[in-house]
Amino acid sequence: MTVPTRRPNPATPAGSLPPGSFGAFVSAARAAGRLVVQPRMGMSDPRAMRAGLAATRAADATTVGTITIDSYTRVGDQAAARRALAEGVPLNGYPLVTYDTAVTRSVLDGIQDHTFPVQVRHGSAAPQDIVAALLLAGLDATEGGPVSYCLPYGRTPLTASVENWARTCELLARTRDHGAEPHLETFGGCMMGQLCPPSLLVALSVLEALFFAQHGLRSVSLSYAQQTDPAQDEEALHALRRLADVLLPDVDRHIVVYTYMGVYPRTPDGARLLLEESARLAVRTGAARLIVKTAAEAHRIPTVRENAEALEAAARAAEAEAASGRVPEVDGSGRISEVDASGRVSEVDASGRAFGPVPDTGIHAEASALVQAVLEISPDLGRALPLAFERGYLDVPFCLHPDNAQRTRSYLDTDGRLRWSAIGSMPLGGIVELAHEPRLTSSGLLGALRHVEQRFDAAALDPSPAHRPLDDGHRPPTRVALPEQGR
C-alpha cells in the first residue's frame, strides 16, 4: 500500500518518544502543521474491521485508526460475545477479548505501523482484560478514565472504577520495559456528551490526565467535546491547555477535540457544517487531533465510505482554517506563546502578530477552582476523586449515577452558551454568576438537546445571516432552561 503523502515523517518524533508510538506520530503531525483526524469505527467481522482500517489509512488526510469495542466486551460479558459470534449475530463493535490474538494481528498486519497507529476505544469501567488483549495484539494506545468511563455508562461504584483504572494504567506503563511508550487519552472532557458546562469538562479532563500520570503514563491526550457555542469552546480549550501546561509540564501531551456528541443535524449539509466547524475549532485552538462524526450520524451507523468522506472533509476544513492565518502560535511542546500579563491568551496571524486575546468569561477560573478543590482533598487522585464526588465538589448535570450528587443545573442562555443555574456543593461560589431559571417540562429539555441540530439544519436550509452558525451576533434568541435533577 502506498503511504499517503499527508503522513508526517516519523523519523523526527518530539522529545524522546519512540518513533512507532501514538504520541510521536501526533507530535510529528502537529510539528508539520497537520491536524490528525480519526473516525469512530468498530465492526465485529475481522474482514470488515480490516477494511475499515485500510480505508482510514488510505483517506486523503492525516489519520490514525480506531478499533471500537462492542458492548458485551465493554461490560466483561465475554460469554455473550462468544454466543453472538457463534450464531452469526453482528455486534456493535470489535470483540477484542473474545477473538484469538492471532485474529487481531491478522486484522492489523500490513496496515498498522509507525506511519499509521491504531487506538482502541472501549467505554469500560473495568478495562484490564481489554488492555491486556490489545497489548498482546501489538497495540498500546487507548482511552477512557476512572470517572468518564464510569459515571455515564452504568452503576459500577466509582471506587471500583478508580481501582480498575489504576491497575490498567500500571499495566500500560509496564510496556515501557519493552521499548514502547503507551498512550492514554482521557475521556473526561466528553462527560455526558452535551449540556455540561465547559469548566467541568476541562477540570475532569485535567484530573483524569493527572491520574494517568500518577500511575506511570508519560504520554497522554486531553479531550474536549465541542459544545453549543464556538466562542465558549475556544475559551474552554485555551483553559484546558493552560492548566495542562502548569500541572503536566513533564508529560508528552496533546489536546483532542470531539465533533459534537449530542443530537446531530438531520440534513447532510447541516451535518457537514457542524463537522467543519469542529475542524476549524481544533485548528484555531492548537488541538492536535479531531474525532469526527459523519453525515449519517442522525440516522444510522455510518459506512466505511462515509467515515472516509468525513475524515477528508474535516481535513479540508482544517487546511482552509490554517491557511487563513488565524491560528495560535504553538511551540514544540504544545504551549501557546502569546499570553498577556493577565494570563489571557492572544491569537496571532501567520506573521506572528497578535490580534486580540481570547475572551475570558471565567472558564479557566472555574476549572482551576474545581481542580484545586480535588487536589486539596489528597494529592493521591485515586483517593481524592471518589471523595470529591461524595462531597459534591464534582457534580455532573443530568448524570444519574448513584455516586453523583445530582445537585447541579445548567441551561442555555440567549446566545446558546452553556451556563450554571445551580452549583450544589461545587466550590464555585463567588466565581459563577447564577441565573434563576424556572423548571421546564421534558419538552424543554428536548429543546435544549436539539439546539445544535436545529441551528445547523436551519443554516443549511437558509444561509441568511439569521441562521449563520458561526456568527454569534446573528443567532436568534434560544434561551432554554434545563430541569433540576433530584436525588
Side-chain angles (χ1 to χ4, degrees):
M1 176 183 293
T2 302
V3 177
T5 57
R6 296 193 191 200
R7 300 214 162 274
N9 180 5
T12 56
S16 59
L17 295 177
S21 69
F22 192 93
F25 178 88
V26 176
S27 292
R30 181 171 56 188
R34 299 175 187 140
L35 178 68
V36 175
V37 290
Q38 180 176 356
R40 297 170 168 92
M41 182 181 291
M43 299 85 157
S44 55
D45 182 272
R47 291 167 297 183
M49 188 69 255
R50 179 176 171 82
L53 290 172
T56 300
R57 174 173 174 144
D60 186 19
T62 302
T63 58
V64 293
T66 303
I67 295 178
T68 300
I69 303 305
D70 68 287
S71 296
Y72 288 136
T73 303
R74 175 174 67 82
V75 297
D77 192 351
Q78 314 310 334
R82 286 193 295 271
R83 284 196 302 270
L85 292 177
E87 296 168 5
V89 177
L91 300 174
N92 64 346
Y94 184 80
L96 176 66
V97 178
T98 299
Y99 279 134
D100 186 84
T101 299
V103 173
T104 302
R105 286 184 178 270
S106 71
V107 168
L108 299 167
D109 184 43
I111 296 178
Q112 178 234 1
D113 60 20
H114 60 287
T115 71
F116 183 70
V118 175
Q119 182 192 48
V120 173
R121 309 183 67 85
H122 54 84
S124 179
Q128 299 96 309
D129 289 345
I130 295 170
V131 169
L134 69 89
L135 291 174
L136 286 173
L139 299 169
D140 57 18
T142 187
E143 46 76 63
V147 174
S148 58
Y149 269 5
C150 176
L151 266 63
Y153 288 94
R155 300 178 69 84
T156 300
L158 183 57
T159 52
S161 179
V162 166
E163 292 172 3
N164 292 334
W165 273 93
R167 291 196 291 271
T168 297
C169 290
E170 290 156 6
L171 178 61
L172 279 167
R174 286 200 295 272
T175 64
R176 286 204 305 273
D177 296 339
H178 306 285
E181 188 61 73
H183 184 89
L184 190 50
E185 171 196 322
T186 166
F187 198 67
C190 308
M191 282 290 298
M192 306 299 290
Q194 55 189 325
L195 302 184
C196 184
S199 59
L200 182 56
L201 298 179
V202 169
L204 289 171
S205 195
V206 170
L207 288 165
E208 286 195 330
L210 284 169
F211 178 91
F212 298 161
Q214 286 186 358
H215 289 88
L217 274 298
R218 300 192 304 195
S219 181
V220 304
S221 44
L222 297 96
S223 65
Y224 179 81
Q226 179 187 20
Q227 298 294 303
T228 57
D229 180 85
Q232 190 177 39
D233 287 339
E234 193 166 339
E235 180 186 348
L237 282 159
H238 285 303
L240 177 59
R241 185 188 304 279
R242 287 175 60 192
L243 285 170
D245 286 349
V246 171
L247 296 172
L248 296 159
D250 300 320
V251 176
D252 168 68
R253 63 193 181 280
H254 67 265
I255 290 175
V256 52
V257 172
Y258 282 66
T259 300
Y260 186 67
M261 297 174 67
V263 181
Y264 218 61
R266 300 188 66 82
T267 65
D269 286 344
R272 175 184 53 79
L273 287 172
L274 182 54
L275 172 62
E276 290 173 349
E277 182 174 292
S278 70
R280 287 191 291 268
L281 172 69
V283 172
R284 286 198 309 274
T285 56
R289 187 160 49 99
L290 174 71
I291 309 295
V292 309
K293 292 183 77 171
T294 74
E297 299 292 338
H299 310 284
R300 55 176 168 76
I301 297 174
T303 65
V304 169
R305 174 176 290 183
E306 288 166 335
N307 269 300
E309 290 172 349
L311 292 168
E312 292 176 348
R316 288 193 297 270
E319 289 169 357
E321 184 70 14
S324 73
R326 292 182 63 88
V327 295
E329 189 71 35
V330 182
D331 67 20
S333 67
R335 292 179 174 83
I336 291 185
S337 60
E338 294 290 333
V339 181
D340 67 17
S342 67
R344 295 184 301 175
V345 180
S346 296
E347 291 180 302
V348 297
D349 64 18
S351 66
R353 294 175 303 208
F355 57 86
V358 174
D360 182 0
T361 65
I363 293 174
H364 180 267
E366 293 175 32
S368 297
L370 294 171
V371 170
Q372 185 63 34
V374 176
L375 295 177
E376 286 178 355
I377 294 174
S378 171
D380 176 6
L381 282 167
R383 180 172 182 271
L385 283 170
L387 285 173
F389 277 94
E390 181 180 322
R391 298 174 185 179
Y393 294 175
L394 298 174
D395 189 348
V396 182
F398 304 101
C399 178
L400 302 179
H401 191 282
D403 290 334
N404 190 59
Q406 303 177 44
R407 295 178 57 213
T408 58
R409 292 177 59 201
S410 60
Y411 73 98
L412 296 178
D413 71 10
T414 54
D415 292 321
R417 295 169 66 93
L418 280 162
R419 296 182 61 189
W420 296 106
S421 58
I423 58 173
S425 297
M426 293 198 303
L428 299 179
I431 301 175
V432 172
E433 181 180 347
L434 298 177
H436 299 286
E437 295 296 313
R439 285 191 181 189
L440 290 188
T441 63
S442 58
S443 62
L445 175 59
L446 181 61
L449 295 172
R450 297 188 62 190
H451 170 77
V452 169
E453 171 208 358
Q454 293 171 339
R455 180 159 64 90
F456 280 85
D457 279 340
L461 295 172
D462 180 3
S464 66
H467 293 104
R468 229 176 267 165
L470 303 182
D471 189 343
D472 295 351
H474 288 93
R475 293 202 201 115
T478 51
R479 190 176 189 85
V480 182
L482 307 181
E484 185 175 2
Q485 294 289 299
R487 284 188 177 274

